[in-house]
Amino acid sequence: MEFMELIWAYLLVFLLAAIPFVEAIYLTPIAVVAGLSPAPTFLLAVLGNLLTVYFVILFIEKMKQWRKKKKEELGKAEKRQERAQRIWKKYGLPGLTIIGPFFIGSHLVAFLSLIFGGTKRKVTLWMTISIVGWSLLLTILAALGFEIFEVENPFIEQFFTKK
C-alpha cells in the first residue's frame, strides 16, 4: 500500500468510527483483517468513537429537549430504549455501558445512560472503559486470529485499499 493510501485508510477508520452506530468495537477487527496495523487502527477507531460519544455527553441537555419534543410527536418509546431500560434495571450503569454497545450502539447507550440517571462523569468513565476495552480485545483477537490462520480477505480489503 502506498503512503497516501495508507493515510486514507487510517483516516477512514477514524471517520467511520465517529459515525453513530458504526462502532469502534466492530470497525477495529474489520480494519485489522483488511491489513491495517492493529495499534494505529485501534487508537484511531477508539478516538473517533469516543469523540462523538463525548459530544453526546457534553450536549445532553440540548438532546433531552429534542427528545422530549420528538417523544411528544411520536407518543411512544422505541424498542432500543426499552431494551436499554431493561439492561439498566438489571445491571445498572456499568452493565448498560459494557453490554449496550453491542445491541444498541455506544452513542445511544451514552445518551440513555444520562437519561436514566447516570452522571456525566460516571457515564464518561464507563463509556471510555467499554469502548477501549472491547475495541482492544477485538483488535487483539482479530490480529492474532488472522495472523495464525493466515487469512486473506479481498472483500474487506477492497474497502481500505485503492486499486
Side-chain angles (χ1 to χ4, degrees), residues 50-65 67 81 84-85 88 92-94 96-97 104-128:
L50 284 175
L51 177 71
T52 51
V53 167
Y54 291 162
F55 274 115
V56 169
I57 294 168
L58 187 62
F59 296 109
I60 187 63
E61 295 308 318
K62 295 277 187 199
M63 297 177 89
K64 282 181 180 179
Q65 292 170 357
R67 181 177 174 263
Q81 182 177 342
Q85 184 77 42
W88 177 270
L93 177 63
L96 180 58
T97 56
I104 60 175
S106 58
H107 299 84
L108 190 55
V109 166
F111 177 74
L112 292 174
S113 294
L114 292 162
I115 295 293
F116 297 156
T119 65
K120 287 183 178 183
R121 185 176 178 170
K122 286 184 179 179
V123 171
T124 301
L125 173 68
W126 281 103
M127 288 305 304
T128 302

Side-chain angles (χ1 to χ4, degrees), residues 63-151:
M63 297 177 89
K64 282 181 180 179
Q65 292 170 357
W66 174 82
R67 181 177 174 263
K68 184 178 179 183
K69 183 180 175 184
K70 280 291 190 190
K71 193 172 185 180
E72 290 170 0
E73 290 174 11
L74 298 174
K76 62 179 180 179
E78 296 180 20
K79 287 182 182 181
R80 288 181 179 191
Q81 182 177 342
E82 291 170 1
R83 184 180 299 161
Q85 184 77 42
R86 285 193 305 272
I87 295 171
W88 177 270
K89 286 179 180 176
K90 191 168 185 175
Y91 302 108
L93 177 63
L96 180 58
T97 56
I98 300 295
I99 298 168
F102 286 103
F103 299 107
I104 60 175
S106 58
H107 299 84
L108 190 55
V109 166
F111 177 74
L112 292 174
S113 294
L114 292 162
I115 295 293
F116 297 156
T119 65
K120 287 183 178 183
R121 185 176 178 170
K122 286 184 179 179
V123 171
T124 301
L125 173 68
W126 281 103
M127 288 305 304
T128 302
I129 290 168
S130 176
I131 291 169
V132 170
W134 283 119
S135 297
L136 182 61
L137 176 66
L138 294 174
T139 300
I140 290 169
L141 291 175
L144 292 177
F146 282 88
E147 187 175 304
I148 290 170
F149 296 111
E150 297 180 13
V151 174

